[in-house]
Every structure is written in structure tokens, then in C-alpha cells.
Amino acid sequence: MHFECIRFETGAGIARISLNRPERLNAFNQEMLKELREALEHSADDAQTRVILITGCGRGFCAGQDLTERKTDDGQLPRDLGESLEKNYHPLIRRLRSLEKPVLCAVNGVAAGAGASFALACDLVIASKSASFIQAFSRIGLTPDCGSSYFLPRLVGEAKARALAFTGDQIDAETAERWGMIWLCVADEELQNRAETEALKLSKKAPLASAETKKLFQQSFERSLEEQLKQEGKAQQRMGRTEDYHEGVQAFLEKRPPQFKGK
Ligand code: LHQ
């Protein structure tokens, strides 16, 4: 597979995707969005891949939509941003959430606008101390998009979510961690190693159980406790019939690490 705007490599059960337009702080252009969708599709289909690790090249993570692609002073009719979201962005956000493998995001620098939404759509987020998050939409006369008005209130609560969206203020990774927006903030020099270590850890978990875990969390906020208990019961019923569960118990009894096969 040949990509221009991302780097993509697989190995040791991990698909590694790096946003690669560092001169533009990895802002999304159409090509990058297309390539990301392709890389995710490949990762979904590849039986060897058990976890996806996403990061950015250079000093930024992703500065959102490439604004040079969206100039409004070029004499052309205003573009339909709703259409552009539905065509280019929404499939990507939906895929991150529906992919039956955990997605770990290592935010290495600024994540702004759709770049912040993209990070928050991932299952787990680790950021370096010098990384930051900006709901940049309000800075340029736009509204939250790519799921940010969905993810943010769920992660940090409404008061902080509203403040971030209305002000467009930049918050650093330590604050993001303290607020519960992300999982972990680590020293800059530790980010890539820590992300690799965590990805490797995830790649050794039972794939069917990881997929079910992802689904349970996905729908948890939309369900009552009763309904969630029902869904947990059904998931556990399915897991109890897997070879991996039996391997897990056997490995525990034999005091050895389990070898999960996704069966
Ligand atoms: C950029 C960008 C960028 C192009 C930095 N584009 N070049 C909207 C429309 C349609 C559908 C989908 O969804 C969306 C949602 C959105 O994503 S809207 C939000 C779009 N993003 C922004 O408004 C963020 C714009 N960028 C910034 O505010 C700053 O660059 C931040 C705060 C991210 C970083 O600031 P600095 O660290 O001071 O870096 P810089 O501003 O000097 O940027 C470095 C270079 O990257 C620079 O180019 P240059 O040639 O001057 O070195 C920037 O022009 C370029 N760049 N963001 N989004």
C-alpha cells in the first residue's frame, strides 16, 4: 500500500498509523482522510492486527481541517461543510468507533478542531506533556464537529465541555488528564515508548473480548443500568464459549501467560 499523507506499518500485532504532513501540523486534507479510511479498513481486515496505534509526525498531532483547502476568498461558491463532513470525516469517526479492535492514540503535540475530535474518538488516549487540545471551531466561526459535542461532555462533563467549545481555549495535556479527557499524560521523551508498550499489552489480550468490551462502552451512556446489565450478560455468555476464555483460565492455573487466538 502506498500512502502520501500518512505512514502505515504493521508488525507484532500492531498497525501503526502516523499522520504525516508535519509542515502543516498534520492538518487533514482530503487525501489524508482517504488514506486514513483505507488504513483503518486494512487494519480491520488483517487478522494479524489486534490493535491500532495512531500518532503524528513532527511537533503537532493534527491541526484539524487544512484551512488552505477551505479558503473562502477564492471567488468560488461557499463549500457545503455539512456535505464535506458527511463524505470525508464522518465515515472515519464512525469507523474508529465501530472497528472491532482497540485504537490507541498517542497525541504528540497540538490537537485542534477536527484533530482533537479525531483523538477523542479513539478508545484510549495518551498525550505527551507538551501536547495540547483546542476546540478551535469557535475561533473561526464554526461549531463543534466530528463528534466533539458528543465525546467531550461524556468525558469531562457539560460544564467544562461547554467552556472549551465556546472559548476555544487551549488546554495542556496535564489538564486534559486531570479533567478525564484523556487517559494519561507522560513526559515527551516517554510518549512513543509508552504508547508502544501499551499497544503491545493490548495486542496480547483476547481479541473477541476486546471487541465486546469496546461495544459495551460505546453504548453504555445510551442505556439504562438494567439494559447494560443485560448486554454485559449476553457478551459474557458469548465470551464464556470461546477457546480464549478457556485458555485464559488454563494459563492462570498453570501460572503462565495466556496465548489468545481470537477463537
Ligand atoms: C495549518 C493549519 C491548518 C492549514 C496550522 N490548516 N495549515 C472544518 C471545516 C470543514 C469540515 C471539517 O471540519 C472542520 C473542522 C475543523 O477542523 S475547524 C478547525 C481548523 N483548525 C484550526 O482552526 C487550527 C488552525 N491552526 C492554529 O490555530 C495553530 O496553527 C495551532 C494553534 C494549531 C498551532 O499554533 P502554532 O504552534 O503557533 O503553529 P503555527 O500556527 O505557526 O502553524 C505551523 C504551520 O502549520 C503554519 O504554516 P507556516 O507555513 O506559516 O509555517 C500554519 O499555517 C500551518 N497550519 N494549522 N488547520
Side-chain angles (χ1 to χ4, degrees), residues 32-153:
M32 187 194 274
L33 291 164
K34 180 172 89 54
E35 292 179 5
L36 280 169
R37 293 194 300 270
E38 284 171 16
L40 287 184
E41 236 30 81
H42 180 87
S43 308
D45 293 344
D46 178 19
Q48 304 303 316
T49 293
R50 292 188 173 187
V51 53
I52 292 98
L53 172 56
I54 301 177
T55 192
C57 297
R59 73 176 175 91
F61 172 69
C62 176
Q65 167 64 39
D66 187 323
L67 296 173
T68 63
E69 229 188 25
R70 301 267 160 205
K71 277 193 300 179
T72 49
D73 60 356
D74 56 4
Q76 293 179 10
L77 284 173
R79 290 188 176 85
D80 183 336
L81 297 188
E83 194 179 286
S84 160
L85 282 168
E86 189 51 36
K87 186 168 157 229
N88 301 309
Y89 283 87
H90 293 174
L92 182 62
I93 302 294
R94 289 192 190 104
R95 200 64 184 111
L96 284 173
R97 304 295 280 186
S98 67
L99 216 148
E100 294 191 330
K101 299 177 183 183
V103 182
L104 172 64
C105 187
V107 179
N108 55 300
V110 65
S117 311
F118 176 68
L120 298 183
C122 297
D123 295 294
L124 301 149
V125 185
I126 305 180
S128 61
K129 204 168 171 191
S130 64
S132 59
F133 297 83
I134 315 175
Q135 293 297 302
F137 315 98
S138 65
R139 293 184 173 192
I140 56 168
L142 289 180
T143 48
D145 68 21
C146 295
S148 102
S149 62
Y150 178 93
F151 302 125
L152 264 186

Side-chain angles (χ1 to χ4, degrees), residues 178-198:
R178 204 171 55 248
W179 286 6
M181 190 193 293
I182 62 168
W183 173 29
L184 274 180
C185 167
V186 300
D188 288 12
E189 59 280 12
E190 282 175 25
L191 178 70
Q192 297 305 339
N193 274 345
R194 181 64 188 264
E196 277 289 327
T197 304
E198 296 301 337

